[in-house]
Amino acid sequence: MDLSCTTITPDPIATTEPPRALGVPLTRTGPLMPFTLDWNDPESARRRYEADGYLYLRGLLDRNQVLAFREYYFAQFQSTGLLAPGSRPIEGLCGEGNVADGVVNAILHRIVRSPEYAALCASPALVAFYEWFFGSPVHLHRRKILRHTTARGPLATGAHYDLVYIDQGTERLCTSWIPLGDLPLTTGTLIYLEGSHRLDVESLRGAFPDFPARSGWITRDLEGLSSRTGLRWLASPAFAAGDMMVHGPRMIHASCDRHHAGGLMRLSTDIRYQPKNEPIDARWQRDWSHDDGL
Ligand SMILES: O=C(O)CCC(=O)C(=O)O
């Protein structure tokens, strides 16, 4: 497979601009700090994860496998009008067409059950990392989520933490957020509220009109949340295929606006690993479907 055009030309507005949410640049921001694994010292990774609430692991995964999956994913949408005319699926450039939710969901339903996706989510590097990190055999939650952004939406993901959705098992659970491609910030990548894994979230009750919302989101007003808490939003100017974020169940995160000048779509997956011998939330042991209520 020719993966040559997958080194994305930098988005001219991308590199120095802070993340935006609801159309406004965020004012309290900082960089996500990459962590270099020392395979002889799992404690150092655990300490960093405890301290920061996340690990930013550059190049952990097999880049070619990630890009091959990107190609496979967007190829499934080729006849739907999602992709820019004349572009190759691996580029993930969005067309003008508005694809009906039903069509997108039917395709997603199939992809999350595909052997290609299973192989990506249980790739040797990923499993080796979690076995090393937890120091035990691991369990991958079957409910795994794929998301792509388009020019029209869906809107960015509001600020939330994962324990709201997955609280009937152990808290020794990590989410892997995996960029599936070379993705500048302007594709609407994930951002983290610094140190928010130590925040008393209850103290935010009443601070935002919709919190606690049925969606589980604290708010879409990311600027308001950082101003209320005094915490910065941490972002990476660009993720590369092969990178992986790891975050804990209490770490508040969101995605920022997508406004990539060249029409590049963000494709990512979020999946969850935990030690095998810890309590497991039974609701997450079925494949994702858009109406599963979780
Ligand atoms: O990718 C997103 O927009 C949200 C992902 C997320 O909430 C997660 O990884 O837990």
Side-chain angles (χ1 to χ4, degrees):
M1 182 189 307
D2 174 16
L3 303 174
S4 53
C5 74
T6 54
T7 301
I8 304 295
T9 337
D11 183 346
I13 55 171
T15 32
T16 50
E17 220 188 68
R20 288 195 209 168
L22 297 178
V24 293
L26 300 175
T27 55
R28 278 172 215 78
T29 60
L32 281 168
M33 300 305 286
F35 180 73
T36 305
L37 294 184
D38 173 356
W39 289 101
N40 295 315
D41 185 8
E43 270 312 316
S44 65
R46 294 178 196 135
R47 275 197 304 275
R48 177 75 170 260
Y49 171 81
E50 285 303 317
D52 292 354
Y54 73 88
L55 294 174
Y56 177 7
L57 306 175
R58 279 196 173 140
L60 178 83
L61 306 178
D62 177 345
R63 175 176 171 82
N64 283 338
Q65 185 185 18
V66 170
L67 292 174
F69 182 80
R70 179 179 177 84
E71 162 95 67
Y72 160 77
Y73 179 93
F74 283 123
Q76 311 307 304
F77 287 89
Q78 208 152 20
S79 60
T80 65
L82 177 74
L83 306 178
S87 66
R88 295 197 294 149
I90 194 163
E91 294 174 281
L93 300 177
C94 59
E96 295 294 312
N98 195 12
V99 186
D101 287 350
V103 172
V104 174
N105 286 335
I107 295 173
L108 279 175
H109 190 89
R110 214 174 55 232
I111 300 178
V112 297
R113 288 160 179 79
S114 67
E116 287 84 353
Y117 187 45
L120 178 79
C121 297
S123 67
L126 236 164
V127 175
F129 167 76
Y130 276 117
E131 287 180 346
W132 172 84
F133 183 70
F134 286 125
S136 71
V138 292
H139 172 73
L140 168 62
H141 289 253
R142 185 152 166 193
R143 183 172 189 271
K144 306 183 293 299
I145 304 172
L146 277 160
R147 309 172 199 254
H148 68 257
T149 56
T150 66
R152 291 162 196 267
L155 287 171
T157 305
H160 69 280
Y161 59 104
D162 293 347
L163 201 60
V164 170
Y165 306 104
I166 185 163
D167 60 350
Q168 295 184 13
T170 182
E171 274 203 38
R172 286 192 70 213
L173 168 100
C174 291
T175 295
S176 273
W177 184 85
I178 305 175
L180 300 174
D182 292 335
L183 301 181
L185 185 64
T186 47
T187 59
T189 51
L190 214 65
I191 57 178
Y192 291 88
L193 194 63
E194 188 174 26
S196 57
H197 56 307
R198 286 188 290 266
L199 198 68
D200 172 15
V201 180
E202 285 304 306
S203 70
L204 297 174
R205 260 177 210 273
F208 297 95
D210 296 334
F211 179 64
R214 273 189 56 161
S215 65
W217 290 355
I218 298 168
T219 181
R220 276 204 162 106
D221 176 9
L222 305 190
E223 178 68 3
L225 183 57
S226 72
S227 129
R228 168 86 193 200
T229 57
L231 302 175
R232 300 186 299 171
W233 284 105
L234 304 182
S236 169
F239 289 103
D243 292 352
M244 178 169 101
M245 294 301 302
V246 175
H247 65 255
R250 291 184 182 273
M251 186 71 179
I252 296 177
H253 52 283
S255 69
C256 53
D257 289 353
R258 181 200 168 283
H259 56 107
H260 188 275
L264 186 65
M265 287 185 274
R266 186 253 283 199
L267 174 64
S268 61
T269 188
D270 40 289
I271 63 174
R272 281 134 195 108
Y273 271 91
Q274 66 165 81
K276 207 175 203 141
N277 60 358
E278 299 260 351
I280 293 174
D281 190 328
R283 300 167 305 163
W284 282 66
Q285 309 319 313
R286 281 189 296 270
D287 288 318
W288 172 92
S289 73
H290 78 280
D291 55 357
D292 64 17
L294 288 171

